[in-house]
């Protein structure tokens, strides 16, 4: 449950917000800044909704309040109407997480609060990870079992929590698991987490990339062979199935196997035994087998490129590794992890990343997912001159996607401004035609959802300039 504090003098908003948000959010509303500040400093708040007052004196008071609590680590969402839009943009520049127009659209406001809450939780977890390890305390260790983390995996978003929950459910079960997801999403890390958190943790974990083995050698690599089994063999070989023993065998890119190899794999899984090439002696299959692929196996089944019976056999439990674009709230924590890792390897004292550079990372589409983020951070550390990664340290494509700041926006009437206005209007019209569904709007325009959000942000900035 995300804990929300509402700082507002609007009694109507105070009364309706909690029922409107529902049971997933705990709301405390108050018109008194001191009361809200105490809640924040006591750690009782994950997200602050700052409702900007139209009264100039009260608005100045709220701005001072923001300046006092902005280093607390609590994500701030600014609620504003057109009269206070410029002030809202200023607070965004000072570090507010986001802002929302009044009256707020409930669905959008819930999404903003959810992402802001995840951001606060990640920041707290990052700070805790930097603290010295506590003394052994069984009670604390038992409570830690409920934390939103899992072996080797990083992220506190709802999608990653779902992955962690599935890992915990299947960790001790001797059943097949199919991990799906695009390249670079960490499918092998999920497989290792299943192994390391289960009852086979102290046994072998053997990872095999099926796509990296030539078709003529795949059977020998998987099942092994006896001396003289085929031309060129000088001795017997133990295959990956035997090497895994009673541990875990991870077969990555299972969709790359030929139909002939699929038949032999299916038989081994069904009979729980296999034979080396050139031998008739059956060997028991004791290992747990986990599979992964970036391909759509159900479509391959329809196209007769993947056996239906094998698909049913391996897809007992499916875990989907989410694309990074689907949980951008985890980018700050991932970036911090890679900064620590590669600054040590590069022998450079890079301690963090600037707000503007981090904003560019969160706005990017990430077609290469977490692997691409890792490479970007590694390169940025090499290019960085100081102890902080800045926008100029990121690759060129990130600077091309950057939304212009207020002082960089062209004046009204220029060609660039007119072009931006047109793009924003087209985006808003598409959202309206799709009844507010941004995913459908992005598809209708043949653009990414991340680029659609950039156009929305750009429209807000341009409106703020016009109002100034």
């Amino acid at each position: 449950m995300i804990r929300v504090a509402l700082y507002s003098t609007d009694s109507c908003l105070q009364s309706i917000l909690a029922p409107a948000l529902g049971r997933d959010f705990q709301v405390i509303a108050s018109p008194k800044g001191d009361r809200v500040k105490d809640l924040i400093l006591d750690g009782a708040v994950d997200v602050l909704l700052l409702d900007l007052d139209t009264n100039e004196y009260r608005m100045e008071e709220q701005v001072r309040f923001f300046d006092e609590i902005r280093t607390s680590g609590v994500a701030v969402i600014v609620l504003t109407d057109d009269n206070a839009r410029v002030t809202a943009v200023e607070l965004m520049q000072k570090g507010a997480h986001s802002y929302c127009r009044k009256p707020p659209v409930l669905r959008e406001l819930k999404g903003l609060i959810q992402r802001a809450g995840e951001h606060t939780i990640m920041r707290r977890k990052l700070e805790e990870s930097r603290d010295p390890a506590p003394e052994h305390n069984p009670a604390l260790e038992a409570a830690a079992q409920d934390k939103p983390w899992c072996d080797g995996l990083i992220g506190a978003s709802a999608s990653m929590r779902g992955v962690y929950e599935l890992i915990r459910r299947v960790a001790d079960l001797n059943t097949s698991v199919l991990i799906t997801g695009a390249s670079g999403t960490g499918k092998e890390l999920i497989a290792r987490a299943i192994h390391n958190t289960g009852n086979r943790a102290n046994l072998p974990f053997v990872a095999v990339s099926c796509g990296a083995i030539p078709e003529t050698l795949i059977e020998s690599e998987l099942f092994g062979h006896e001396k003289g089994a085929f031309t060129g063999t000088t001795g017997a070989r133990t295959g990956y199935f035997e090497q895994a023993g009673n541990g875990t065998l991870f077969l990555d890119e299972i969709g790359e196997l030929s139909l002939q190899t699929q038949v032999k794999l299916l038989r081994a899984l069904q009979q729980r035994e296999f034979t080396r090439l050139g031998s008739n002696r059956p060997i028991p299959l004791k290992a747990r087998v986990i599979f992964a692929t970036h391909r759509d196996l159900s479509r391959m089944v329809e196209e007769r490129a993947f056996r239906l019976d094998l698909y049913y056999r391996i897809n007992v439990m499916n875990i989907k590794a989410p694309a990074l674009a689907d949980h951008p709230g985890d980018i700050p924590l991932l970036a911090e992890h890679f900064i620590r890792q590669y600054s040590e390897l590069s022998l450079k004292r890079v301690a963090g990343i600037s707000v503007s550079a981090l904003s560019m990372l969160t706005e990017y589409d990430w077609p290469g997912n977490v692997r691409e983020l890792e490479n970007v951070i590694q390169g940025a550390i090499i290019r960085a001159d100081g102890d902080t990664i800045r926008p100029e340290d990121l690759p060129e494509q990130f600077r091309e996607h950057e939304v212009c700041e207020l002082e960089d926006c062209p004046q009204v009437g220029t060609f660039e401004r007119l072009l931006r206005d047109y793009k924003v209007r087209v985006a808003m019209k598409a959202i309206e035609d799709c009844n507010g569904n941004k995913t459908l709007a992005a598809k209708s325009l043949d653009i990414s959802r991340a680029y659609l959000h950039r156009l929305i942000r750009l429209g807000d900035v341009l409106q703020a300039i016009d109002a100034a």
Side-chain angles (χ1 to χ4, degrees), residues 155-184:
S157 62
S159 56
M160 290 303 295
R161 286 170 182 261
V163 171
Y164 302 154
E165 176 60 26
L166 290 176
I167 289 174
R168 283 190 280 265
R169 287 179 180 272
V170 303
D172 291 330
L173 302 179
N174 187 21
T175 187
S176 298
V177 177
L178 176 62
I179 305 171
T180 57
S183 297

Side-chain angles (χ1 to χ4, degrees), residues 7-9 31-34 36-37 40 48-71 76-80 83-96:
Y7 180 19
S8 173
T9 58
K32 298 179 180 180
D34 292 339
V36 177
K37 187 190 302 183
I40 293 173
L48 169 66
L49 294 180
L50 180 58
D51 181 19
L52 288 181
D53 204 299
T54 54
N55 181 282
E56 185 175 350
Y57 173 79
R58 291 200 187 102
M59 187 186 299
E60 292 176 355
E61 186 177 68
Q62 289 174 323
V63 171
R64 288 195 298 269
F65 170 86
F66 175 85
D67 291 335
E68 293 172 358
I69 60 92
R70 64 177 176 174
T71 59
V76 178
I77 299 175
V78 182
L79 302 178
T80 180
N83 295 327
R85 186 68 57 79
V86 174
T87 303
V89 174
E90 291 175 353
L91 295 182
M92 288 282 292
Q93 292 176 324
K94 288 183 177 182

Side-chain angles (χ1 to χ4, degrees), residues 74 90 97-98 221 290 388 451 463:
V74 172
E90 291 175 353
H97 182 273
S98 53
E221 293 292 308
I290 300 177
T388 302
Y451 183 56
Q463 287 187 23

Side-chain angles (χ1 to χ4, degrees), residues 18 37 44 72 125-126 132 178 190 196 220 233 236 249 274 282 316 321-322 329 356 397-398 407 431 456:
K37 187 190 302 183
S72 65
K125 291 295 182 182
L126 179 60
L178 176 62
I190 294 176
N196 292 336
S220 172
T233 57
L249 176 63
F274 58 94
V316 176
S356 54
Q397 69 264 27
F398 290 88
E407 62 270 20
I431 294 173
I456 295 172

